[in-house]
């Protein structure tokens, strides 16, 4: 039996199409990226993962979805081997497990950052790079980052947390997004208070609602704030642990980073640890060997004009920030990620 055409890049028995199949694969993969994000958001990927199969029309009716649109989504997923179709029965394909593990990256790209990448030729023009020259969907990015945190950062984060050699009573999470990290900390440490700060009001509204629903509204509060420009406030003075995930690059370029981190020392005078996690720009791989997420992450921030520091940039800047780097915890696998443990 010949392998399927999405594996070989060839079209069986149609040699006249073979030369263009690489371009077709790129095009189909782009369509499938949207379908992966949609399949996760409507619950189809979770149902396939849990039950091993589903009926497309029945799934659509159960979830009040347009049947033809739902079938189209599964067609896109089947075109790249994420699922297989047997009539109206949908089964996991050979790529399903890998895609299910990384589904949040596709959501970050196609739902959270769609407007930015769609506007690529517009935002590249210097004449247009004034004011708010790009948009992204903050709640969608927060939704995706919650899962990215769980899959990529959390295994290392909890190892770091369990290894802390100091007690803490109040945690501030800079760029808190959905607030999930604070809720997890509060559940594991019943006496600890939490404070979530984020620049996106819509993301904070969702965080507040989820925290109230979890019964933690009396222990975790949220505020709209730019972590790069905080001023001393009474509610910050007693914070003894700071966390910040997937926004550290926003402190750069270098001189701004130094200023911002020195300011953090001022506004959090009792903070004994800062756990800083993010993804660094790659500098030592060929262009065709980018790991999952880094290409979209780097190109997206290039479009926004945001400087992405390398690991070398970070390690070089800390001596001037007033924070001492105790240890670098590297993340294996999907991203060029890290958690810096600072004091």
């Amino acid at each position: 039996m010949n392998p399927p055409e999405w594996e070989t890049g060839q079209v069986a028995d149609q040699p006249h199409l073979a030369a263009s199949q690489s371009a077709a694969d790129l095009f189909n993969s782009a369509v499938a990226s949207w379908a992966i994000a949609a399949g996760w958001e409507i619950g189809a990927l979770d149902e396939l993962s849990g039950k091993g199969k589903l009926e497309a029309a029945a799934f659509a009716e159960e979830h009040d979805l347009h049947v033809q649109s739902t079938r189209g989504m599964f067609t896109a997923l089947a075109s790249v081997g994420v699922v297989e179709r047997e009539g109206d029965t949908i089964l996991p394909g050979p790529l399903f497990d890998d895609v299910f593990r990384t589904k949040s990256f596709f959501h970050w790209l196609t739902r959270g950052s769609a407007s930015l990448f769609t506007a690529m030729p517009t935002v590249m023009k210097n004449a247009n790079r004034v004011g708010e020259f790009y948009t992204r969907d903050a709640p969608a990015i927060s939704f995706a980052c919650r899962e990215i945190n769980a899959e990529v950062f959390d295994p290392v984060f909890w190892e770091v947390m369990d290894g802390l050699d100091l007690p803490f009573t109040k945690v501030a999470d800079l760029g808190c997004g959905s607030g999930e990290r604070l809720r997890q900390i509060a559940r594991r440490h019943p006496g600890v208070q939490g404070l979530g700060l984020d620049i996106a009001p819509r993301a904070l509204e969702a965080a507040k609602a989820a925290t109230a629903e979890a019964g933690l509204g009396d222990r975790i509060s949220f505020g709209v704030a730019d972590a790069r420009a905080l001023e001393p406030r009474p509610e910050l003075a007693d914070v003894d642990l700071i966390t910040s995930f997937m926004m550290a690059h926003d402190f750069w370029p270098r001189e701004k980073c130094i200023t911002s981190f020195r300011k953090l020392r001022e506004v959090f005078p009792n903070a004994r640890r800062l756990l800083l996690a993010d993804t660094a720009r790659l500098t030592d791989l060929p262009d065709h060997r980018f790991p999952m997420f880094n290409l979209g992450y780097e190109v997206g921030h290039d479009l926004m004009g945001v400087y992405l520091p390398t690991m070398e940039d970070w390690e070089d800047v800390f001596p001037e920030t007033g924070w001492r780097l105790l240890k670098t915890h590297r993340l294996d696998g999907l991203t060029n990620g890290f958690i810096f443990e600072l004091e």
Side-chain angles (χ1 to χ4, degrees):
M1 179 182 294
N2 291 327
E5 56 200 53
W6 50 263
E7 284 186 348
T8 64
Q10 303 291 320
V11 179
D13 301 322
Q14 299 182 63
H16 61 287
L17 294 179
S20 64
Q21 192 59 33
S22 293
D25 288 343
L26 286 173
F27 186 91
N28 294 346
S29 295
V31 177
S33 294
W34 294 90
I36 290 167
W40 180 34
E41 195 166 321
I42 66 173
L45 298 186
D46 289 290
E47 183 158 329
L48 273 175
S49 179
K51 297 182 178 179
K53 69 176 182 179
L54 60 81
E55 301 296 323
F59 179 86
E61 291 170 4
E62 179 183 355
H63 295 272
D64 193 25
L65 303 172
H66 182 241
V67 174
Q68 183 178 350
S69 300
T70 304
R71 286 176 172 148
M73 179 196 72
F74 286 124
T75 299
L77 295 176
S79 74
V80 294
V82 177
V83 304
E84 293 179 345
R85 296 182 297 157
E86 296 178 359
D88 216 38
T89 300
I90 308 300
L91 303 166
L95 298 184
F96 181 83
D97 288 344
D98 196 29
V99 166
F100 187 76
R101 183 171 61 100
T102 58
K103 56 190 180 295
S104 52
F105 292 110
F106 292 93
H107 194 277
W108 176 92
L109 178 67
T110 62
R111 292 286 279 163
S113 303
S115 57
L116 172 65
F117 283 92
T118 298
M120 184 182 288
T122 302
V123 302
M124 289 171 64
K125 296 178 180 177
N126 286 325
N128 297 330
R129 299 180 69 85
V130 293
E132 299 293 328
F133 64 90
Y134 68 87
T135 61
R136 293 197 298 169
D137 189 323
I141 289 174
S142 178
F143 180 79
C145 286
R146 176 177 173 177
E147 175 94 353
I148 292 171
N149 273 324
E151 291 292 329
V152 178
F153 289 98
D154 276 2
V156 178
F157 172 70
W158 292 114
E159 288 182 10
V160 176
M161 287 286 288
D162 291 342
L164 289 178
D165 58 354
L166 54 89
F168 56 92
T169 59
K170 187 173 183 180
V171 181
D173 191 25
L174 309 182
C176 65
S178 70
E180 179 61 17
R181 186 168 309 282
L182 287 173
R183 290 191 291 273
Q184 290 177 345
I185 292 173
R187 293 187 190 103
R188 294 190 184 210
H189 301 273
V192 169
Q193 298 286 315
L195 173 62
L197 302 175
D198 201 288
I199 203 170
R202 286 197 298 160
L204 286 180
E205 288 303 314
K208 291 176 185 177
T211 300
E213 184 177 348
L216 295 169
D218 61 332
R219 294 175 54 202
I220 301 174
S221 59
F222 296 94
V224 177
D226 186 342
R228 300 164 297 183
L230 291 175
E231 294 296 331
R233 294 189 235 165
E235 64 268 29
L236 306 182
D238 57 348
V239 168
D240 41 26
L241 175 64
I242 308 169
T243 61
S244 180
F245 280 69
M246 300 183 70
M247 66 146 289
H249 56 276
D250 290 329
F251 290 109
W252 285 73
R254 181 185 176 84
E255 290 307 314
K256 288 177 59 179
C257 181
I258 293 171
T259 299
S260 295
F261 273 75
R262 287 178 176 173
K263 192 72 173 180
L264 291 180
R265 269 294 185 208
E266 179 184 346
V267 301
F268 294 106
N270 291 306
R272 300 178 63 191
R273 287 288 192 280
L274 167 56
L275 302 181
L276 186 71
D278 209 348
T279 298
R281 183 181 290 275
L282 285 164
T283 58
D284 56 356
L285 285 178
D287 288 344
H288 66 286
R289 293 296 302 276
F290 271 88
M292 186 79 180
F293 187 56
N294 266 80
L295 180 62
Y297 183 74
E298 293 186 16
V299 173
H301 285 84
D302 287 340
L303 293 173
M304 292 185 285
V306 175
Y307 183 85
L308 284 183
T310 64
M311 291 297 293
E312 294 76 16
D313 287 334
W314 276 116
E315 291 165 358
D316 180 64
V317 80
F318 284 131
E320 298 184 53
T321 63
W323 295 85
R324 184 167 73 94
L325 177 60
L326 294 178
K327 189 173 182 180
T328 299
H329 305 268
R330 297 302 299 264
L331 307 182
D332 296 327
L334 297 177
T335 73
N336 188 36
F338 60 82
I339 298 178
F340 293 130
E341 186 175 352
L342 305 159
E343 70 168 2

